[in-house]
Amino acid sequence: GNMPKSRVLLLKEIEEGKFVFYSNYNSQKGKDIDENPNVSLLFFYIQSQRQIRINGTVEKLPRTKAVEYFKSRPLESQISAAASPQSTIITKENLISNVEKIRSSDSLNCPEHWGGYSVSPKEFEFWQGQPARLHDRIIYKKGDVGWDTYRLAP
């Protein structure tokens, strides 16, 4: 449905101004992205009381990037990606069985349902905690030409 869901993701790189991560395309996250390509990323730095929120649109990366990155991952991470039908109901025993089948097979390739996404930013909010909750909130919003910048009340 329309219920938003948040996830912790591993940001792998920033390439050509886009934020890149990898996942199972069949997961709930993948299905949500297929339905609605508008996403929000959040980076929070508790020690420095800083936060960056990025709103943008997401799209799949080319298959060649997924295969290249998959091969660079540790073996256990490759096995896990191939063995897990992410976001589906499964017993621990079935998951372990899937892992053992893959571990004992001769070939381990990047699954067709696994790959990369890139997020094209449309808006950044830089938040800095301040005394008395008078926090700084500075917005950069992509305009027709360049970026518009303004401050929001805390």
Side-chain angles (χ1 to χ4, degrees), residues 2-117:
N2 251 350
M3 181 62 68
K5 297 175 185 76
S6 57
R7 289 103 168 156
V8 174
L9 299 173
L10 179 59
L11 177 67
K12 288 310 297 178
E13 62 184 319
I14 299 173
E15 183 179 85
E16 298 177 13
K18 297 179 180 182
F19 297 86
V20 174
F21 65 96
Y22 292 83
S23 188
N24 183 319
Y25 292 147
N26 295 332
S27 67
Q28 187 61 53
K29 166 188 340 92
K31 291 173 185 172
D32 289 346
I33 287 170
D34 283 345
E35 260 185 50
N36 181 356
N38 297 303
V39 296
S40 184
L41 308 177
L42 179 70
F43 299 91
F44 180 57
Y45 306 94
I46 194 165
Q47 290 83 1
S48 59
Q49 285 296 294
R50 291 184 175 159
Q51 172 179 293
I52 303 167
R53 187 167 41 95
I54 302 163
N55 294 328
T57 55
V58 65
E59 62 185 356
K60 288 180 181 174
L61 291 173
R63 177 86 183 137
T64 53
K65 291 271 302 175
V67 171
E68 178 185 325
Y69 174 63
F70 187 83
K71 289 179 183 176
S72 77
R73 301 177 82 205
L75 179 62
E76 292 303 314
S77 295
Q78 291 180 36
I79 291 170
S80 173
S84 174
Q86 192 176 10
S87 301
T88 64
I89 296 171
I90 193 170
T91 66
K92 188 73 166 180
E93 294 77 21
N94 284 349
L95 184 58
I96 291 169
S97 173
N98 290 352
V99 167
E100 292 307 320
K101 283 178 198 166
I102 290 166
R103 190 173 277 131
S104 64
S105 73
D106 290 339
S107 64
L108 176 59
N109 297 311
C110 179
E112 291 292 327
H113 61 267
W114 190 92
Y117 290 100

